[in-house]
Amino acid sequence: MATHLVGAAAGSEAAEHALPVRRWNARRVGLALAGVAVLALAVGVHAFRLAQTPGWDPQEGYNLDLAWNLLHWRLRLFGLSQAFAAHPPLFYLQLALLIHLFGYSIATIRALAGVYAVLTCGVVLAFGRRVVGAGPALWAGLVFAGVPLFLENTRWGYSYAQLMLVGLLCLWATWRYLETRARRWLLVAALLAGLAVLSDYEGLALVLFVALVAWRVRWRDLGLTLSVGLGLPLIGLLVCFAVAPAVFVADFAATFGRAAGGNFALQVVEWLVNYYGFVTLSPWVVLGLVGLALARPARARVFLLVALAVLGAVVLKVREVGLSLHTVVPLLPLLALGAGVALDAAVRLLYAGVRAYGPGAASPQRQHAGQRADSDSRPRPPVAQRTDSDAPRRQNESQRAYIRTPLRTVKSVRVSIGKLMRAREPVAGPEASDMR
């Protein structure tokens, strides 16, 4: 008889342990399928009517001609007789290869930008899951792939599309360095920051950000960060100088003079005006900023806000933001993450309210009565087998039953909001280890 009871207890305990595992596996599969669906959406919207929508932008013809001249071993623009070397070469070298393979057309440059956009969407899902959680990451991917503000500005053929992807990968590597303090992640982040500068000069903001994190974590790593992050683009720029020494210095100085020159007070005023235009451009920008301010945990919130501030300080200084905000494209993944956090919080809050106050919600008295009936009808071990170790379990069960009771007062609503924010922290279990 005793053996039978022990075997039954062991089987019951094994079943209780197997149930959370099955639920975790089902949730993992569901999240993976949702992520694949978001990526499929991104591929579809970036491939449909690629050459027709949106209409031509002058910057696209500018980029196509630069790549066409590079394909013929010339650093020139349109019909200029002198060399032209005002931009880093990495994006244009890739575009020149694609023109050689697929021909000179608007679809070629937009296909390259579309590939970068789809890859960025995948990184938004993966990086967002690690930083802010799986739910906000899925919402962020959906926003990035489907919202017109994000979709239109990632379909145009700009070099900023490459900077967007490389910049987000750089932020991910920097986050891993912040988590692990391993120099290998700092080296990866510095290399990606250097590639970002070779994509567009706005990438200097990423070198500054990685250097700031390195100084904050371990100041001795600051030299490694700057030497790698600035050394890689310096090599590329020296190659451009060797090819066109007569005009490279002049074009380089003109580019940086346009971006950083002028009276300092006037620059501050222009930056503030540009920031106001950026914030009021679309409600999605405001939603992204609000969501970043709500991100949990606190370290992720500070990391994302500081990254946005450093990138925004450089990006919004370069050029005025208008209906076409192609210079602000590197900020779009961060705004998508913020919008994902805000949408996830809104949906969870709505769901909690429906469960607590919806037509199917039971009164607290009925729930307490049902819980007492369940506890009374639950089979219990003989008195001889009960020990003092069962007391904490019974206490935990009563506490969980109390937590499940619908909350009726303002104080209870505040507590539920706090639990909601804590629920969005990345899971420190099998899911977290799976992402490493």
Side-chain angles (χ1 to χ4, degrees), residues 19 125 292 294 319 367 398 431:
L19 183 59
L125 293 171
L292 289 178
L294 296 175
R319 189 172 297 175
Q367 284 199 1
S398 63
E431 291 184 14

Side-chain angles (χ1 to χ4, degrees), residues 237-259:
L237 295 179
L238 287 176
V239 173
C240 295
F241 175 77
V243 175
V247 297
F248 175 78
V249 175
D251 287 345
F252 186 81
T255 300
F256 273 86
R258 183 187 63 180

Side-chain angles (χ1 to χ4, degrees), residues 34-159:
V36 170
V38 171
L39 283 177
L41 175 64
V43 172
V45 296
H46 284 92
F48 179 71
R49 294 179 58 85
L50 191 62
Q52 291 79 25
T53 305
W56 271 65
D57 184 83
Q59 184 76 26
E60 293 179 301
Y62 177 96
N63 293 337
L64 273 172
D65 194 79
L66 277 176
W68 174 260
N69 279 288
L70 276 178
L71 184 61
H72 293 83
W73 302 98
R74 297 189 300 263
L75 281 174
R76 292 185 183 178
L77 177 65
F78 297 120
L80 296 177
S81 58
Q82 65 179 23
F84 181 81
H87 299 283
L90 189 56
F91 178 80
Y92 301 98
L93 290 172
Q94 299 170 70
L95 183 55
L97 177 61
L98 291 181
I99 290 174
H100 176 72
L101 295 175
F102 303 106
Y104 182 94
S105 71
I106 190 67
T108 301
I109 187 173
R110 288 185 176 177
L112 178 59
V115 168
Y116 279 125
V118 173
L119 292 176
T120 303
C121 184
V123 178
V124 165
L125 293 171
F127 175 56
R129 186 186 181 196
R130 173 172 287 277
V131 176
V132 295
L138 286 174
W139 282 109
L142 191 61
V143 168
F144 185 83
V147 171
L149 173 70
F150 296 82
L151 176 59
E152 179 178 336
N153 287 280
T154 55
R155 280 177 63 98
W156 269 320
Y158 303 142
S159 61

Side-chain angles (χ1 to χ4, degrees), residues 288-343:
L289 295 175
V290 171
L292 289 178
L294 296 175
R296 297 290 295 269
R299 183 169 64 169
R301 178 171 63 249
V302 173
F303 179 85
L304 294 174
L305 287 176
V306 173
L308 182 70
V310 174
L311 288 172
V314 174
V315 168
L316 296 177
K317 176 63 184 68
V318 171
R319 189 172 297 175
E320 180 181 356
V321 175
L323 295 178
S324 172
L325 50 125
H326 52 273
T327 56
V328 191
V329 165
L331 300 181
L332 294 182
L334 292 176
L335 293 176
L337 285 174
V341 171
L343 290 174

